[in-house]
Amino acid sequence: MDLGLQGKWALVCAASKGLGKGCAAALAAEGVNVVITARGAEALETTADELRQLAPGVQVRTVVGDITTEAGRAAALDAAPQVDILVNNAGGPPPGDFRQWEREQWIAALDANMLTPIALIRATVDGMAQRGFGRIVNITSAAVKAPIDTLGLSNGARSGLTGFVAGLARQPRLAGRNVTLNNLMPGPFDTDRLRKTVEAAAQAQGRPLESVWDQRRLGVPAQRYGRPEEFGAACAFLCSVHAGYITGQNWLLDGGLYPGTF
């Protein structure tokens, strides 16, 4: 299927590893020029080289910086001649007990996982509408649909973003101009972040890493963890010309882990 994205420009945040990298790769393979951001220069440049080899005809630009800061966002936006596709992504806040969190921790979570995506949407969405094409995909979490008790910071911040997007996506001045906003909600994917989470759990339980890793994997009905490349493929489709009638939606990618009907 031709996704109709040849020559478009995408800004993909936190794209040096994991799900962000999977999205950038899928878009580049469809002929999309990409600006990718991350805080670590070495990993970012390695990913950029991989994308150039994957899709020799596209432009790949890198921006090293913290996307959760005003300076980091400005640098990322300046790197692209225009933003036709925006993929919002940022690492989630740490787990814990809400009794331990002060205002500082809450503000940091909101900045990273709610206010930063909103700031980038604000900077790009009207230009998309003027050009008659725009796709915004926010990488949130399956915890928005099925909250995890130890991830209260993430539950709160990402749910706030979800509610904001639900209203904005339905504005006729955007939806009526072929601009869509949707959220991808990943469950357990085989990424560095998941491995670190499982390592911490294994240490806390005094169990071998592989034992905890396999136990969690077998708890997923699909009997495996998700792959970043299949997450990227879902993102690319939502960004395609074929997805113009999909907006304000939350796509759950969790291998069947969520047990509900709706």
Side-chain angles (χ1 to χ4, degrees), residues 129-261:
Q130 290 172 4
R131 293 187 297 272
F133 178 89
R135 299 289 185 263
I136 296 174
V137 176
N138 304 299
I139 301 177
T140 62
S141 171
V144 172
K145 191 169 181 68
I148 300 171
D149 60 351
T150 59
L151 296 181
L153 291 171
S154 179
N155 296 340
R158 296 190 194 278
S159 294
L161 175 63
T162 302
F164 169 79
V165 168
L168 183 64
R170 290 167 172 83
Q171 288 188 358
R173 63 190 290 187
L174 299 180
R177 292 289 297 161
N178 194 25
V179 177
T180 68
L181 298 92
N182 294 289
N183 305 310
L184 288 178
M185 303 162 54
F189 275 75
D190 190 352
T191 62
D192 287 348
R193 178 174 171 80
L194 178 63
R195 289 190 173 274
K196 289 178 181 177
T197 300
V198 174
E199 285 174 4
Q203 291 178 356
Q205 298 171 25
R207 296 172 54 194
L209 171 61
E210 289 306 316
S211 172
V212 179
W213 182 259
D214 287 341
Q215 181 185 33
R216 293 199 175 189
R217 174 180 60 80
L218 294 174
V220 179
Q223 299 290 281
R224 66 177 179 86
Y225 294 115
R227 300 185 297 271
E229 56 267 28
E230 61 189 331
F231 186 90
C235 177
F237 178 78
L238 273 183
C239 294
S240 76
V241 297
H242 309 294
Y245 211 54
I246 303 172
T247 195
Q249 301 305 305
N250 298 287
W251 280 20
L252 185 62
L253 294 84
D254 70 346
L257 191 59
Y258 176 72
T261 301

Side-chain angles (χ1 to χ4, degrees), residues 86-107:
L86 170 63
V87 180
N88 278 314
N89 185 32
D97 187 322
F98 86 99
R99 298 167 183 83
Q100 304 167 347
W101 299 325
E102 303 297 337
R103 177 178 172 80
E104 180 181 357
Q105 285 76 39
W106 280 107
I107 294 300

